[in-house]
Amino acid sequence: MRPSGRALDQLREVRITRNYTKHAEGSVLVEFGDTKVICTASAETKVPPFLRGQGQGWVTAEYGMLPRSTGSRMIREAAKGKQQGRTVEISRLIGRSLRAAVDLEALGENTITIDCDVIQADGGTRTASITGACVALADAINWLKENGKVKGEPLKQMIAAVSVGIYNGEAVLDLDYAEDSTAETDLNVIMTEKGGYVEIQGTAEGEAFSAEELNAMLAHAQKAIGELSELQKAALSS
Amino acid sequence: MRPSGRALDQLREVRITRNYTKHAEGSVLVEFGDTKVICTASAETKVPPFLRGQGQGWVTAEYGMLPRSTGSRMIREAAKGKQQGRTVEISRLIGRSLRAAVDLEALGENTITIDCDVIQADGGTRTASITGACVALADAINWLKENGKVKGEPLKQMIAAVSVGIYNGEAVLDLDYAEDSTAETDLNVIMTEKGGYVEIQGTAEGEAFSAEELNAMLAHAQKAIGELSELQKAALSS
Amino acid sequence: MRPSGRALDQLREVRITRNYTKHAEGSVLVEFGDTKVICTASAETKVPPFLRGQGQGWVTAEYGMLPRSTGSRMIREAAKGKQQGRTVEISRLIGRSLRAAVDLEALGENTITIDCDVIQADGGTRTASITGACVALADAINWLKENGKVKGEPLKQMIAAVSVGIYNGEAVLDLDYAEDSTAETDLNVIMTEKGGYVEIQGTAEGEAFSAEELNAMLAHAQKAIGELSELQKAALSS
Amino acid sequence: MRPSGRALDQLREVRITRNYTKHAEGSVLVEFGDTKVICTASAETKVPPFLRGQGQGWVTAEYGMLPRSTGSRMIREAAKGKQQGRTVEISRLIGRSLRAAVDLEALGENTITIDCDVIQADGGTRTASITGACVALADAINWLKENGKVKGEPLKQMIAAVSVGIYNGEAVLDLDYAEDSTAETDLNVIMTEKGGYVEIQGTAEGEAFSAEELNAMLAHAQKAIGELSELQKAALSS
Amino acid sequence: MRPSGRALDQLREVRITRNYTKHAEGSVLVEFGDTKVICTASAETKVPPFLRGQGQGWVTAEYGMLPRSTGSRMIREAAKGKQQGRTVEISRLIGRSLRAAVDLEALGENTITIDCDVIQADGGTRTASITGACVALADAINWLKENGKVKGEPLKQMIAAVSVGIYNGEAVLDLDYAEDSTAETDLNVIMTEKGGYVEIQGTAEGEAFSAEELNAMLAHAQKAIGELSELQKAALSS
Amino acid sequence: MRPSGRALDQLREVRITRNYTKHAEGSVLVEFGDTKVICTASAETKVPPFLRGQGQGWVTAEYGMLPRSTGSRMIREAAKGKQQGRTVEISRLIGRSLRAAVDLEALGENTITIDCDVIQADGGTRTASITGACVALADAINWLKENGKVKGEPLKQMIAAVSVGIYNGEAVLDLDYAEDSTAETDLNVIMTEKGGYVEIQGTAEGEAFSAEELNAMLAHAQKAIGELSELQKAALSS
């Protein structure tokens, strides 16, 4: 029995709200239950120095948590002058994953910077961030197209992400904090809308996990990515 | 004529939403028109080292802006490893102002940390932050009282803040970004609900301002603080 | 009765010594009683990147205190690798105030950097810094003119600054450390030699202050700025 | 055909040299072909502050590369004052993986710090590091036991790691730099000597990878971990 | 012929002014010609953590230059957030040298922190700093004795320092900037008043120097240290 | 009697192994007894910004110690975000010394960066570094010549370094850690192969040292530099 009463392969209620703030070219509030992340996509018509003159664009991401998005207040990274290792890791993961959604050559010499800021955390912030950010990314790409900055179609495919894990010996989908903090294994799965793997990251927190457990978790993830892709499409067509 | 069509002494629509996020002891979304700030107040039953054993509490504040809360994306201070001078200044101003609301001895050896994070900026973020944060502070003090951490009444008085300025030669109240970016003078006024000055900070951006202009701005501010105090009370009693 | 025995509206003895060190284009030792600050103005015939090609100049300032300029030794900010918030704030205040003295277009593509280093502190270091720095600035502008780097007259007006406050319930002028450390309210006033306000910053350290108290403090400041302007002129013509 | 001429499931020549330097309680030079890493394990009879008084120990790791361990010189992180995100990620991965080898309660209030410093890089430095570091860890644990600092047996199981990937459409084992830099997918697998998964991290560099490809890569990894475990045992018994 | 017209073994005019600022336990302005350094010695009745409970004291030093103490403005290290390597080196040299003047056990659990801040530079700032700082140190030790914090006599001997060099093929004493910037060899010599070497640091800027040149430079230094010791004694007895 | 049983003027066994790692243009393992340092020389066909367009090259150096190269683990400087003062000092010393070996104009607009990383420390790491680095430097210069990047001969002369000291009242050569940690005086001598002084740095750790002691130490150093030069030549011709 899961603390939330959900079925083993049941997502939390997922909501994707576009145009959440007014300045960014793409701005999404994504909610996986009580996990809430503001994802903005900022388009700029230039590229970082290492890409100049190569006729391709760039997608990068930064992740952060408001200090009191969590149960006890975390130190503000800007005030400390240093990001935590976890923050750096997640920023890199989001950027790498979203680049799999984009044809960087078709993007031309434009950069899209994704900011994912967690305003309330209840487990699964990195996978919620990727799922929401991909919608903001699509909006920013549309902005570039509508404003004549891009000719072709840089969006190759949508990307979504979800966490799965082993909780009380069972493979479960979309862990909330109550599960995540005691799960034996935690696996983040990022996939394309067509069902290809973009990234998998699994960690045994306690005992090592078996090939069977891995397969059970991946099956949950695959099913959920299909549902999340539908929600992304619904949001983009609304 | 103001860009927004408001009267010279007219506030933008101000909204104060309590319990905006679920973890903090006080959590408020404050909106002054399109300026939106999440203010959380985190209570801890200990004090920083420099106050240990002195039988008094502490109130401090940190301010930040999401990178794309503004028209063009700002660098993420956590990633850069350094806060801007402006950020440090505003954090100090908010903390200093809110300490004027609190009897630190009555607070006992507890600390309340205020976080003001701007999710959308349209001028006046520091004064909106103070106005919203004081409501979150009151909620956190109530939490301490309800949980038996505090005996007496640490909240001496509510504090509110508003910006005034000289725009096109006229004293105007509550400048939005369109006004703020071209105003000749910008004055931030923080007052108690009883009408005492807690802090005033005025800067001539272009020409120096006169004693008459100062008085006209202060008159607008005094009237507005009365209105903001009513909004704070209404929010706290809802 | 003030600890120093001064009248309520009496300045400390103020001395302005030009050409205090030999390398800078402007170099002033300013003393307000026991507060002593070395103010240098360094002229460079270029502008920072954000102003390049815009046909205007720049004035900026940095403030620091020698570690043992105060009663107990402060940590050396260079060794710690971080400036205190107070240092950043004062640096920004000095730079902003001095820019009000200068016609940046008439300055042409030249930069003047002001360094204010407190060698002995006894209250009012930021206002002494501004008052002394404006003399160093005038010398640096003269150097630019004499060396043919500037054609017109970039110095629009002299600027001076003084602190006022409420001490023992009375408005007093030019607080020394004994007063400053216990004053109820502290107000820094920066004005042009013609009597316009450039910046006012007032903080209630204890109780809020009233409009009457504000007016009493501003009256002291206005009178003192006149006296300081005379001292600046005398120094520049000597 | 692989650039090195190896079979698809063939490891490079792996060498594990114990007691490589003289000061550390465990010191290993691990070589996977031309990839060479010095792994030291330093034992201390105390724990970090967050674990004090809890009757358990700690294992942590730090990773670095000599600036010219690579084809072109990398900036020295100590001189820059900041570790790259990649460095932080790998340090965290090594520490997390090795903690799976240890019973932290049996370790008692002792800390083992692993340092993995790459002196020559040719692909797979993180997996080589983990494989070598586990041998150094075992030596440090033995040192603690021999010196009476530990009573029971903190070493639960040996851990080894290897990279697999999709190169030219084929699943291959233990990628060297020539393969790694052009591989479509890169997957790092950390397993116990008994064949359980401790961590998997897979990234599609180009196209998404399929479930079949994932399974093919995992099969290579499983076989290789068995071989690496044998080499670890041989080294420890020599 | 030296640019200043001095004889090869002639010091610049050296002045040592005690009680230069009012807060520090020892405060000296030292001048070697146009090189001017404020040296303060701050006494504290505690020791750094690494010495606690060992019944001995500590002497340490920090060095800095005001940004415009030099011909062209240097970046402010506090603003940059990093001290230059040269600054760190000189701070360490001053501290190490002055510790040779003190019996740390007789000092008891007290710390003296020396700050040497160059307000005008014209060559030889590090040796001027040491020479002046030793006088400030003596004053701070006297303060500790007079205030009953120290029983015995911690001052073992006075220390002085001077630079020598090879300029135009000749050994010269006490190089000013005009010489220092083109000298072939620069040697800093720190000696006790009794003529023992505390530290020597010599660098060939161009050609290597010979044993004969070294001896000629050391002879100049030895003579000068005698003169500087007399000046220190005269200052302390005035 | 020395702890190692060596004669007063006897070097430890010195070994210089070229081509120690495969990527760098020059790569040397230098061993002075148990002190082992990897010295790499990286050649780049460009110069730092401050030298651009001046028709000359640059040689610079960085020094580091692996955290467990010493008896107790040192903090990793990259993780701390700050190099120790000692590290900065030694880096600067190595770079300055090696520049004495090179005709920077003959080097053309090329840069050689030396990295000296101590993998095992037993005293004298800085002098071993310089001695080994000069061989790596020679290899990198040869690489530049062989690849047509340099026309003339930038290598003016070989440089070697050794430490001497006063141990138990006697001048001794090439101190190991057992001696170095208790020596009264420590003197590092860097010389050209022709016997000119490039740099001397001597510090009295306890009592001041005399001119006689200085001369005795320098005599040991001079003899040893001859031996080290022979070893360098032998290595380069092998």
Side-chain angles (χ1 to χ4, degrees), chain E residues 208-230:
Chain E
F209 58 96
S210 67
E212 293 69 38
E213 289 173 319
L214 176 58
N215 287 335
M217 291 188 284
L218 292 175
H220 283 342
Q222 196 127 16
K223 171 169 166 294
I225 296 289
E227 296 170 30
L228 293 169
S229 295
E230 290 307 311

Side-chain angles (χ1 to χ4, degrees), chain D residues 16-54:
Chain D
I16 298 172
T17 307
R18 283 164 70 210
N19 304 317
Y20 186 67
T21 55
K22 74 173 186 176
H23 296 298
E25 284 73 34
S27 174
V28 162
L29 176 71
V30 63
E31 299 169 83
F32 275 53
D34 276 349
T35 288
K36 303 184 184 193
V37 187
I38 301 177
C39 308
T40 59
S42 299
E44 281 177 301
T45 56
K46 63 178 186 182
V47 287
F50 73 93
L51 283 179
R52 270 178 210 149
Q54 293 182 240

Side-chain angles (χ1 to χ4, degrees), chain E residues 85-86 88-89 92 96 100 156 187 192 195-204 206-211 214-215 218, chain F residues 85-86 88-89 92 96 100 156 187 192 195-204 206-211 214-215 218:
Chain E
R86 178 186 173 276
V88 171
E89 249 181 63
R92 286 162 51 89
R96 207 163 57 226
K156 292 195 300 186
L187 176 72
T192 67
Y197 290 108
V198 170
E199 181 115 9
I200 56 174
Q201 290 197 347
T203 303
E207 289 305 293
F209 58 96
S210 67
L214 176 58
N215 287 335
L218 292 175
Chain F
R86 177 185 173 275
V88 171
E89 249 180 62
R92 286 161 51 88
R96 207 163 55 227
K156 292 194 302 186
L187 177 73
T192 66
Y197 290 107
V198 170
E199 181 115 8
I200 56 173
Q201 290 197 346
T203 302
E207 290 305 293
F209 57 94
S210 66
L214 176 59
N215 286 334
L218 292 175

Side-chain angles (χ1 to χ4, degrees), chain F residues 140-168:
Chain F
I141 287 174
N142 283 335
W143 182 91
L144 284 167
K145 288 162 68 179
E146 285 162 13
N147 287 271
K149 312 293 187 189
V150 156
K151 296 280 148 52
E153 176 52 86
L155 189 68
K156 292 194 302 186
Q157 56 200 345
M158 291 295 284
I159 299 294
V162 77
S163 78
V164 283
I166 305 295
Y167 175 75
N168 278 347

